[in-house]
Amino acid sequence: MAEDIQHNQKSNFNGLTKPAKSGASRKLVIKNFKDRPKLTDSYTEDTWMKLRDAVSAIQNSTSIKYNLEELYQAVENLCSYKVSPLLYKQLRQVCEDHVQAQILQFREESLDNLSFLKRMNRCWQDHCRQTIMIRSIFLFLDRTYVLQNSLLPSIWDTGLELFRTHIISDGAVQSRTVEALLELIERERSGETVERSLLRSLLGMLSDLQVYKDSFEQRFLSETHRLYAAEGQRLMQERDVPEYLHHVARRLEEENDRVISYLDQSTQKPLITTVEKQLLGEHMTSILQKGLQMLLDENRVCELTLLYELFSKVKGGLTVLLQAWREYIKSFGGEIVSSPERDKEMVQELLDFKDKMDHVTQRCFQRNDSFINAMKEAFESFINKRPNKPAELIAKYVDSKLRAGNKEATEEELERILDKIMIIFRFIHGKDVFEAFYKKDLAKRLLVGKSASVDAEKSMLSKLKHECGAAFTSKLEGMFKDMELSKDIMIQFKQNQSDPSNIELTVNILTMGYWPSYTPMDVHLPAEMVKLQEVFKLFYLGKHSGRKLQWQATLGHAVLKTEFKEGKKELQVSLFQTLVLLMFNETDECSVEDIRSATGIEDGELKRTLQSLACGKARVLNKSPRGKDVEDGDRFHFNSDFRHKLFRIKINQIQMKETVEEQVSTTERVFQDRQYQIDAAVVRIMKMRKTLSHNLLVSELYNQLKFPVKPADLKKRIESLIDRDYMERDKENPNQYHYVA
């Protein structure tokens, strides 16, 4: 038994842990019952005096005169003789007297706060040790009498109660203890090194005494609120946003570390919430206004990630960030789209901007669906603020990538570029504008042989078909079919050609409905060319009766064999260039008027053609007087001294920049097509419904039409159909329409 007591005493003394609760599984066996002394008043008094001396020795940290086993046996004897209530009462009184005496040491005014805390900690540590030691002697009392009386606190709980009642509940002592603890924590928050073990011990004391929440936590959270409210206001003025975000993250980390090191776990949630609210919640709008644009402009991935993580901790934080993110994209993208001076680089800038925003959502915003959807909405919003132009420029950008001579990308890179373009394309409302310009550029690539890759062309077509449906790409697919059929027709033509010519003729048969409309130009072709045209015409119409062929001179090109002083060369030229050069087989010098009369080429086209031959890089004609522009009085003669390192030389036609008129013409064609589509949709709906109100008809039209249209335009088309007797107004209700069969 003595060994058990000593073991219990040692383990509790060293660890300062709470002793096991009364009622533990250990059994107490009374030995040598016959040898117990008889209970007399003098025995009881003597035994109590012996026990009180032992308790006093423990409380005064002096040596105990008696053997611990003997003391334990004495307690057991007293309890066995039914004096447990008296023994418990006397023990409590002795302990209470001792604790009451301890309050005096905390009355000294001269103690500084740190010394006060150290004295308090020493007093608490001593009290715990003493209580554990006393309990080890009175263990039999604790496990029999106290355990059987549920209203009585155990010896350990009695010790806590006495310390709480007479020391910590003292107003002045408690106030100073809390003030000193708060001061020590504030000093640590200011960057000083403090004794964390002291804080841990004293805050543990408040928790054990069950006064932590009422006496300390409320004051601590109030001070935290005050400190970080002031700090947030000050640092928002002094620091830039990246620095401020890192400071907030560091502060949160520090506060979490305090919870782990010395604060009670229950404080963590209100503490972190307070810090987040004062450093973040109160300044969310300011942080975003002051720094979001800079972080996104400079692609500060680290700080953007931190911004997202911090805002996700605050109630409503991500909602505010989402709105600011959406507005930034609209603003930045709107500047790209709405500036005519940036048209040249618009599509590339949009692609780069989209890549950048994708990177931010993936790396910084944890691929949050709300942010991805907001980005899509923002792109769709700003890209359609300027109607038609983005669609036109995207078509031209695709043309630049698919045109021969584009050495910027491999096939794999080109495929990736096309995929990215399709993402931007999805945001456009007026896809018919894109189709019109894309069709015009595709025709040039196919007819002049400027397409970089048939596979890339078909891949783009497949993407458009997948995105917009078969109806959208039917004409474009028809253009490819025409080119393939033309090859087959030319093979048959050459096999059936009975009188081979010196000129090798290649003809592309274009179905008028598939291709852009071209203005026909009558030019004076050499007799041999005219003869070849007639031969082909007879051959083709013999196979396809009822069809009509219309020759498009503006799209023709040829290869001319030419002899210079340096030797023979081949010139790859347009049909107009061909007609001009062939004149110099008959004469050495010609005026502009001579060439105009002989070829029949329209004046503007002629001057561009002469400019390409006499003023470009490959000058096969000499012009007098010299100059970059061609005037009516200029004269031209063949440059027999022409030199070039290549055998076959491509002389590019001086491209007339697409004029405003041409662009307007293409756009007008789109609008005309839209009117036809609106008319067809109205008739289709009215034919099915027979009678419909104006609002329901407009609503149905918006559901069916795939391009943006204003209500006023719809109203005009409805009025037009009424005038043409496709439908009529109700005689009593002008907002009601009836279909006219």
Side-chain angles (χ1 to χ4, degrees):
M1 181 62 72
E3 287 176 1
D4 285 345
I5 294 169
Q6 286 167 0
H7 175 74
N8 188 44
Q9 171 188 334
K10 184 178 180 184
S11 62
N12 282 301
F13 185 81
N14 289 338
L16 287 178
T17 58
K18 292 182 183 180
K21 286 187 176 180
S22 300
S25 61
R26 180 186 298 170
K27 287 186 177 180
L28 294 177
V29 181
I30 300 174
K31 297 177 183 177
N32 303 321
F33 186 78
K34 292 179 181 178
D35 298 334
R36 288 187 185 283
K38 285 186 178 181
L39 181 65
T40 62
D41 289 344
S42 61
Y43 174 76
T44 304
E45 185 66 29
D46 291 344
T47 305
W48 167 242
M49 292 296 291
K50 188 190 297 184
L51 291 169
R52 190 181 63 184
D53 288 346
V55 170
S56 296
I58 292 169
Q59 290 172 337
N60 296 318
S61 301
T62 57
S63 58
I64 303 171
K65 298 176 184 177
Y66 310 103
N67 182 281
L68 288 176
E69 187 175 0
E70 185 183 338
L71 293 170
Y72 180 88
Q73 191 66 55
V75 171
E76 186 178 337
N77 290 338
L78 290 175
C79 290
S80 300
Y81 290 123
K82 311 297 183 185
V83 293
S84 299
L86 179 63
L87 182 60
Y88 180 83
K89 184 178 178 183
Q90 289 175 324
L91 175 61
R92 179 185 172 92
Q93 189 60 52
V94 170
C95 291
E96 189 167 9
D97 292 344
H98 175 74
V99 172
Q100 282 178 325
Q102 300 303 309
I103 193 72
L104 297 174
Q105 61 182 308
F106 301 111
R107 304 286 191 201
E108 289 183 36
E109 297 291 336
S110 59
L111 281 177
D112 61 75
N113 281 347
L114 184 60
S115 301
F116 179 87
L117 289 179
K118 286 182 177 178
R119 181 171 291 184
M120 174 62 72
N121 187 48
R122 189 165 55 250
C123 179
W124 166 248
Q125 298 285 354
D126 289 346
H127 179 75
C128 290
R129 289 190 188 95
Q130 291 160 11
T131 304
I132 290 167
M133 194 76 173
I134 291 166
R135 180 181 179 271
S136 67
I137 294 172
F138 290 85
L139 188 60
F140 192 89
L141 174 70
D142 205 30
R143 290 186 169 176
T144 54
Y145 172 70
V146 174
L147 186 61
Q148 290 161 8
N149 290 270
S150 59
L151 296 178
L152 294 178
S154 67
I155 293 172
W156 171 260
D157 289 339
T158 301
L160 294 181
E161 180 194 323
L162 294 174
F163 198 91
R164 176 172 60 247
T165 303
H166 298 293
I167 295 181
I168 287 301
S169 291
D170 181 273
V173 173
Q174 186 182 106
S175 177
R176 186 162 186 194
T177 303
V178 172
E179 288 290 344
L181 286 169
L182 292 173
E183 181 193 320
L184 205 57
I185 293 171
E186 188 165 348
R187 281 167 55 190
E188 188 187 43
R189 282 172 167 167
S190 301
E192 292 184 39
T193 303
V194 299
E195 289 184 48
R196 283 192 159 195
S197 58
L198 180 62
L199 285 165
R200 181 165 53 248
S201 177
L202 290 173
L203 290 170
M205 171 192 78
L206 295 178
S207 187
D208 287 344
L209 297 175
Q210 297 178 350
V211 296
Y212 176 88
K213 277 198 174 298
D214 294 334
S215 66
F216 173 79
E217 188 179 78
Q218 291 178 0
R219 282 285 311 281
F220 171 68
L221 292 174
S222 176
E223 287 300 308
T224 302
H225 179 282
R226 181 192 59 77
L227 170 73
Y228 286 122
E231 183 174 280
Q233 292 285 354
R234 177 171 53 82
L235 294 183
M236 273 304 296
Q237 300 295 326
E238 295 175 1
R239 301 189 180 184
D240 60 14
V241 168
E243 194 178 354
Y244 184 79
L245 291 174
H246 284 293
H247 174 80
V248 174
R250 189 168 60 253
R251 279 302 203 190
L252 287 170
E253 190 178 335
E254 287 171 2
E255 296 302 333
N256 274 309
D257 186 49
R258 284 188 185 96
V259 174
I260 294 167
S261 298
Y262 53 77
L263 293 169
D264 192 85
Q265 194 63 37
S266 64
T267 307
Q268 182 173 28
K269 190 174 180 181
L271 170 62
I272 299 303
T273 301
T274 301
V275 179
E276 287 171 349
K277 186 173 188 299
Q278 296 310 313
L279 293 184
L280 285 172
E282 298 293 330
H283 306 287
M284 286 192 295
T285 305
S286 301
I287 290 169
L288 294 173
Q289 287 176 349
K290 186 178 177 182
L292 181 62
Q293 182 174 342
M294 180 267 288
L295 294 177
L296 288 167
D297 286 347
E298 297 178 11
N299 203 26
R300 301 279 286 268
V301 173
C302 177
E303 283 77 14
L304 284 167
T305 305
L306 183 58
L307 177 72
Y308 179 85
E309 289 173 354
L310 291 174
F311 272 54
S312 64
K313 296 174 187 292
V314 184
K315 185 180 180 182
L318 286 186
T319 306
V320 178
L321 177 58
L322 183 69
Q323 184 58 33
W325 156 257
R326 185 188 285 112
E327 292 305 318
Y328 170 82
I329 295 173
K330 285 182 181 178
S331 171
F332 192 94
E335 287 179 18
I336 296 173
V337 169
S338 61
S339 307
E341 63 274 10
R342 296 171 75 170
D343 282 359
K344 227 175 189 179
E345 302 297 325
M346 181 198 289
V347 180
Q348 188 58 57
E349 286 185 20
L350 287 175
L351 291 174
D352 293 342
F353 183 49
K354 182 66 169 58
D355 279 348
K356 185 177 172 182
M357 295 299 97
D358 283 340
H359 184 69
V360 170
T361 53
Q362 289 174 11
R363 286 282 304 278
C364 309
F365 296 164
Q366 299 176 10
R367 299 181 180 176
N368 186 314
D369 287 341
S370 298
F371 282 80
I372 293 170
N373 292 332
M375 175 177 64
K376 290 177 181 176
E377 289 167 14
F379 263 84
E380 189 172 348
S381 171
F382 78 71
I383 211 167
N384 291 295
K385 283 284 174 68
R386 187 180 176 194
N388 307 323
K389 197 64 182 178
E392 174 192 335
L393 293 174
I394 290 170
K396 291 185 183 305
Y397 184 85
V398 175
D399 177 57
S400 72
K401 296 300 176 186
L402 293 177
R403 202 185 301 147
N406 172 34
K407 297 174 183 176
E408 295 174 24
T410 62
E411 286 187 16
E412 292 79 10
E413 288 169 344
L414 181 58
E415 188 68 18
R416 280 199 296 273
I417 290 169
L418 294 179
D419 284 335
K420 288 179 181 179
I421 289 169
M422 288 307 299
I423 293 170
I424 301 294
F425 171 75
R426 284 188 192 112
F427 300 132
I428 294 171
H429 290 163
K431 291 182 171 61
D432 49 350
V433 176
F434 170 88
E435 183 198 12
F437 284 96
Y438 182 80
K439 183 165 78 171
K440 192 174 73 169
D441 293 331
L442 174 62
K444 284 181 186 176
R445 294 197 300 275
L446 293 178
L447 295 175
V448 189
K450 280 191 173 181
S451 185
S453 161
V454 175
D455 289 341
E457 293 282 7
K458 290 189 174 178
S459 171
M460 184 63 189
L461 205 60
S462 172
K463 294 179 198 299
L464 289 170
K465 188 173 184 177
H466 181 265
E467 186 66 31
C468 304
F472 185 85
T473 56
S474 59
K475 290 181 180 178
L476 303 176
E477 289 173 332
M479 292 164 72
F480 279 96
K481 285 177 186 173
D482 281 351
M483 296 303 290
E484 289 167 7
L485 286 171
S486 296
K487 288 177 185 176
D488 296 338
I489 290 169
M490 288 315 301
I491 291 169
Q492 294 173 24
F493 173 67
K494 285 172 184 176
Q495 288 172 350
N496 294 337
Q497 205 171 356
S498 55
D499 183 18
S501 167
N502 292 331
I503 301 173
E504 186 179 334
L505 178 68
T506 303
V507 181
N508 289 317
I509 312 295
L510 314 180
T511 306
M512 196 169 281
Y514 295 157
W515 297 75
S517 55
Y518 300 102
T519 306
M521 187 186 295
D522 290 327
V523 293
H524 307 150
L525 298 176
E528 200 165 351
M529 281 191 187
V530 174
K531 182 185 174 185
L532 263 177
Q533 280 186 348
E534 288 301 319
V535 171
F536 180 81
K537 187 176 179 181
L538 286 170
F539 163 77
Y540 183 77
L541 295 179
K543 285 186 170 292
H544 305 280
S545 59
R547 293 189 182 179
K548 181 185 175 186
L549 286 179
Q550 184 183 69
W551 299 93
Q552 290 288 351
T554 52
L555 303 175
H557 53 92
V559 175
L560 294 180
K561 292 181 179 178
T562 318
E563 197 165 332
F564 299 98
K565 286 181 181 178
E566 187 188 42
K568 292 181 178 180
K569 299 281 185 186
E570 287 185 356
L571 302 179
Q572 196 172 336
V573 287
S574 70
L575 181 59
F576 293 157
Q577 290 170 328
T578 302
L579 298 180
V580 171
L581 290 173
L582 287 175
M583 287 186 64
F584 290 92
N585 282 338
E586 309 297 331
T587 180
D588 290 334
E589 188 174 315
C590 295
S591 67
V592 173
E593 185 55 43
D594 295 338
I595 298 170
R596 187 186 294 119
S597 301
T599 62
I601 301 172
E602 177 268 325
D603 191 56
E605 196 67 57
L606 177 62
K607 286 185 176 179
R608 280 195 298 278
T609 301
L610 289 170
Q611 201 176 6
S612 68
L613 295 170
C615 308
K617 289 182 180 178
R619 301 186 180 186
V620 293
L621 297 181
N622 287 329
K623 179 176 88 75
S624 57
R626 290 177 176 275
K628 288 185 178 180
D629 296 321
V630 174
E631 305 296 340
D632 286 341
D634 291 347
R635 299 189 69 79
F636 297 86
H637 63 271
F638 184 68
N639 180 16
S640 57
D641 296 325
F642 175 77
R643 292 173 177 274
H644 202 283
K645 61 182 179 180
L646 299 177
F647 175 70
R648 177 173 282 194
I649 303 131
K650 181 175 176 59
I651 302 178
N652 291 320
Q653 180 81 359
I654 298 293
Q655 290 294 321
M656 177 179 64
K657 286 186 179 176
E658 195 170 37
T659 61
V660 175
E661 289 80 10
E662 278 186 308
Q663 289 179 355
V664 168
S665 170
T666 305
T667 309
E668 280 179 354
R669 280 200 302 275
V670 172
F671 289 157
Q672 188 63 52
D673 288 343
R674 284 183 180 180
Q675 289 185 349
Y676 296 148
Q677 289 181 55
I678 294 170
D679 289 356
V682 172
V683 171
R684 192 165 53 246
I685 293 166
M686 290 305 300
K687 190 174 183 180
M688 185 171 64
R689 297 291 186 88
K690 303 301 181 190
T691 298
L692 210 57
S693 70
H694 177 79
N695 289 341
L696 285 174
L697 176 58
V698 169
S699 175
E700 193 70 35
L701 284 169
Y702 276 124
N703 289 335
Q704 290 198 16
L705 297 173
K706 295 180 179 178
F707 48 83
V709 59
K710 296 174 183 174
D713 294 333
L714 291 179
K715 195 171 181 182
K716 284 180 186 176
R717 300 318 306 157
I718 292 169
E719 294 290 347
S720 171
L721 289 168
I722 290 171
D723 292 342
R724 287 179 281 160
D725 294 332
Y726 283 95
M727 52 197 285
E728 63 182 7
R729 273 198 175 85
D730 189 271
K731 290 175 183 177
E732 295 180 2
N733 183 0
N735 281 328
Q736 193 92 356
Y737 302 119
H738 300 289
Y739 177 68
V740 178

